[in-house]
Amino acid sequence: MADTGTAQQRKVQRAQRAARETASPHYKWIVLSNTTLGVLIATINSSILLIALPDIFRGIKIDPLAPGNTSLLLWLIMGYMVVTAVLVVGLGRLGDMYGRVRIYNAGFAIFTFFSVMLAVTWTHGTAAGLWLVAMRIFQGIGGAMLMANSSAIITDAFPVNERGLGLGLNMVAAIAGSFIGLIVGGLLAPVEWHLVFLVSVPIGLFGTVWAYLRLHDTGVRRHAEMDWWGNLTFAVGLIAVLVGITYGIQPYHGDTMGWTNPWVLLALVGGAAVLAVFCWVETKVAEPMFRLSLFKIRAFTFGNVASLLGALGRGGLMFILIIWLQGIWLPRHGYSFESTPLWAGIFMLPMTLGFLVAGPTSGWLSDRFGARAFATGGMVVAAGSFVWLWTLPVDFSYWQFALALLVNGLGMGLFAAPNRTGIMNSLPAHQRGVGAGMSTVFSNSAMVLSIGIFFSLMITGLASSLPQTMMQGLTANGVPHDAAAQVAALPPVGVLFASLLGYNLIQSLLGPHVLHQLPTATQAHLTGHEFFPSLISGPFADGLGVAFGFAIAACLIAAFASVFRGGKYVHDDTNDAVDGDSNTPSELIAEGAE
């Protein structure tokens, strides 16, 4: 009995301490600092491998361009993003049921543990590649727990008139993290590739302990039955679609891409069918995972449509810009192929600067004036920056490229914070976790879909002229016809991956046997900084035009959707019934004047 009384007393003391701390005017900044750290480290890890991949593959002794290893390359890049896209809704729902801070804290711990598992990779070859893919997937589970609940925790902690600033800073960290990851990976990987994973461990340990000691659940919690059928059909359907997209950009038999592969078609069509079943299931269960009724909220619906389209325009852009810099521009300006991954990250910093400037400012302004004008204007500015990038020659002047990236960052930052604030303000308090998860799944899925679309568009543009261009360029420099034909037959996706990895493709493919048959001056010319980048500039420009055209269209449609979100709207939780489901349609789409 004494032990029971002592335990009860400790529980009361913890509750009293939590009440004191959450009542403090400083508590909201503690929440913002910790959740921003969590989102930052999660998004840094979504891109940190892009620049580090060459050193990682050299470290585990794998040639990523060998036909059997292409899947390892793709899954190391995209596996983390696929997992976070699939799980954020269910984990947001768990946060609504059992406490957002509890799920968030567990996410920090899981993320940190599997960062350690990645850092201690000891094997080589395919076994090491599979280990890294598996551990990245588990690390993505922790990342999804952080992403799914951070926005809801901030919304719970901040008053309505300051949420835009709080969510804006958090969103800036999320988007900037994907660019910071490029530089961190580029700096650490050449020193020791294990550091790429180890760097997350001390940050994760600090964040885990800090969150456990200082964060408290202040939101509305509703215990309910888990929607197992909804979770199962959603996971199976979305995984099938995203896996289909991942394999669709790989060559299939004699085709440059795999969109005619029966397994890819089965994954895409079957996945879409399972997602349709998921939507039906969600209308039948008492406690659905995916609250379809939330789409009755005008600000929520059009905010998510705009977010989806904005992510489609932005997601593949990072890959295309990296390939542009690493494969063409940097080598032509004297940078060694091995150093191009790091310099590509550094040269893209103007975009990050734009995010850092526009995100918090637009979030703060949206608290006063609403989200519509800023989110819509941001997408228009982003579309204009894509037009600017489209007009640049492949061998551009850097100051023009940097200004275009800065404008793009300003536009995306102008959009992201107000749009997220508008979505979160529109949600009932007891559904903020699942609503935030639904919003995140749109943006994360769009990132994977965007990579598939951009790569497909680039490959289509390259396939029409690249083989002939490479054949003519190589034979004109004395390369034997058979060797030139073998290089020219390389699928365009291989050229893109080689550029992404900073490889000297001609040196790798021709090999010493062919090169030693040529004069020394010709060898130096073929394997130098100028030949291959100049050779692919024309075909690459064709692909760029198609890709930027898609990005422009996506951003303009996103701007159009943003206009229809309505005026400034904040859900009034005082009108909700005890069970939280009494909202009438008129309440759900109510809007005030901006």
Side-chain angles (χ1 to χ4, degrees):
M1 293 294 291
D3 290 342
T4 303
T6 303
Q8 186 66 30
Q9 186 178 12
R10 284 199 298 265
K11 185 176 180 181
V12 170
Q13 289 174 346
R14 284 197 300 268
Q16 290 173 342
R17 181 173 67 86
R20 286 195 306 271
E21 291 184 358
T22 56
S24 168
H26 303 297
Y27 178 71
K28 61 189 175 185
W29 302 113
I30 295 172
V31 167
L32 179 61
S33 301
N34 190 280
T35 54
T36 298
L37 178 66
V39 167
L40 182 65
I41 196 65
T43 53
I44 283 175
N45 274 269
S46 70
S47 64
I48 198 169
L49 294 193
L50 289 182
I51 302 296
L53 280 172
D55 292 289
I56 292 173
F57 279 116
R58 278 193 291 269
I60 62 176
K61 297 178 172 57
I62 282 182
D63 177 8
L65 299 182
N69 295 332
T70 307
S71 296
L72 287 176
L73 173 63
L74 278 173
W75 277 106
L76 269 176
I77 294 173
M78 300 176 69
Y80 183 91
M81 290 186 280
V82 169
V83 172
T84 55
V86 169
L87 294 181
V88 285
V89 176
L91 294 171
R93 177 68 172 148
L94 283 176
D96 287 340
M97 292 166 56
Y98 300 109
R100 291 155 193 158
V101 169
R102 180 179 296 178
I103 303 300
Y104 174 87
N105 291 352
F108 240 139
I110 291 171
F111 181 90
T112 305
F113 176 78
F114 286 105
S115 296
V116 174
M117 292 295 99
L118 285 161
V120 299
T121 302
W122 67 96
T123 57
H124 298 93
T126 303
L130 292 173
W131 169 268
L132 288 174
V133 170
M135 294 303 102
R136 280 284 285 177
I137 288 173
F138 285 118
Q139 186 191 44
I141 295 173
M145 296 170 87
L146 294 172
M147 294 180 192
N149 291 283
S150 60
S151 292
I153 293 171
I154 292 171
T155 306
D156 290 338
F158 275 76
V160 170
N161 63 337
E162 294 181 353
R163 283 177 189 164
L165 176 62
L167 289 169
L169 290 167
N170 192 258
M171 280 298 297
V172 166
I175 297 174
S178 61
F179 292 98
I180 294 171
L182 301 177
I183 299 171
V184 174
L187 288 171
L188 295 179
V191 178
E192 166 55 55
W193 68 266
H194 291 88
L195 294 176
V196 172
F197 304 112
L198 191 61
V199 68
S200 299
V201 176
I203 299 173
L205 287 172
F206 172 74
T208 301
V209 174
W210 184 20
Y212 178 79
L213 294 176
R214 300 303 303 274
L215 298 189
H216 308 284
D217 269 308
T218 60
V220 177
R221 189 187 305 182
R222 290 184 62 205
H223 290 286
E225 294 293 326
M226 177 60 72
D227 176 17
W228 294 111
W229 282 110
N231 276 277
L232 178 63
T233 52
F234 180 76
V236 170
L238 189 57
I239 288 173
V241 170
L242 297 181
V243 168
I245 293 169
T246 301
Y247 284 97
I249 62 177
Q250 298 185 53
Y252 175 68
H253 290 173
D255 295 333
T256 56
M257 288 181 286
W259 299 115
T260 57
N261 184 336
W263 289 107
V264 170
L265 294 174
L266 178 63
L268 294 174
V269 176
V274 174
L275 287 176
V277 173
F278 162 74
C279 292
W280 176 80
V281 168
E282 296 304 273
T283 64
K284 302 299 180 182
V285 296
E287 296 289 344
M289 175 190 81
F290 211 98
R291 291 265 176 185
L292 297 180
S293 61
L294 292 179
F295 289 108
K296 295 177 182 178
I297 305 173
R298 181 172 167 181
F300 180 81
T301 299
F302 285 101
N304 278 308
V305 170
S307 179
L308 174 71
L309 291 164
L312 279 177
R314 184 184 75 247
L317 170 71
M318 185 190 303
F319 288 85
I320 302 305
L321 293 179
I322 291 172
I323 291 168
W324 192 354
L325 287 169
Q326 291 183 194
I328 298 176
W329 194 86
L330 287 169
R332 293 185 68 174
H333 287 78
Y335 293 84
S336 67
F337 285 99
E338 294 77 13
S339 69
T340 56
L342 171 60
W343 284 105
I346 294 172
F347 276 45
M348 288 173 63
L349 279 175
M351 184 180 290
T352 306
L353 178 62
F355 281 124
L356 294 175
V357 170
T361 305
S362 62
W364 176 72
L365 290 172
S366 70
D367 285 331
R368 298 187 60 190
F369 304 109
R372 179 164 57 182
F374 300 101
T376 304
M379 281 292 96
V380 173
V381 171
S385 71
F386 285 128
V387 173
W388 189 350
L389 287 167
W390 193 355
T391 61
L392 293 178
V394 174
D395 190 17
F396 49 78
S397 296
Y398 178 69
W399 71 267
Q400 294 178 324
F401 183 76
L403 283 177
L405 290 186
L406 178 64
V407 172
N408 185 272
L410 290 170
M412 291 296 183
L414 195 64
F415 166 80
N419 188 68
R420 187 69 163 183
T421 305
I423 290 171
M424 294 305 299
N425 277 340
S426 71
L427 292 169
H430 65 281
Q431 293 180 9
R432 285 174 185 159
V434 69
M438 290 165 68
S439 183
T440 303
V441 79
F442 285 124
S443 57
N444 286 7
S445 299
M447 293 288 284
V448 179
L449 179 59
S450 178
I451 292 168
I453 292 172
F454 272 79
F455 266 85
S456 296
L457 294 174
M458 288 297 299
I459 290 168
T460 301
L462 287 170
S464 61
S465 55
L466 180 63
Q468 183 180 0
T469 302
M470 291 184 69
M471 187 71 181
Q472 292 174 349
L474 291 170
T475 54
N477 282 273
V479 176
H481 185 276
D482 290 345
Q486 184 177 358
V487 175
L490 180 72
V493 70
V495 176
L496 292 178
F497 284 153
S499 299
L500 181 65
L501 295 169
Y503 281 14
N504 187 334
L505 188 64
I506 297 299
Q507 187 175 43
S508 301
L509 292 179
L510 288 180
H513 176 71
V514 174
L515 288 172
H516 288 165
Q517 300 176 30
L518 304 174
T520 303
T522 303
Q523 292 182 42
H525 174 61
L526 289 175
T527 59
H529 296 162
E530 189 69 27
F531 175 73
F532 181 68
S534 299
L535 191 69
I536 67 170
S537 291
F540 187 80
D542 296 336
L544 271 182
V546 178
F548 282 136
F550 173 81
I552 292 165
C555 289
L556 290 178
I557 299 172
F560 187 72
S562 183
V563 170
F564 284 92
R565 73 174 66 243
K568 186 176 181 180
Y569 170 68
V570 179
H571 185 88
D572 184 5
D573 292 305
T574 60
N575 292 330
D576 289 349
V578 174
D579 67 0
D581 291 322
S582 66
N583 304 74
T584 65
S586 61
E587 289 171 331
L588 287 169
I589 62 173
E591 55 180 295
E594 280 191 328

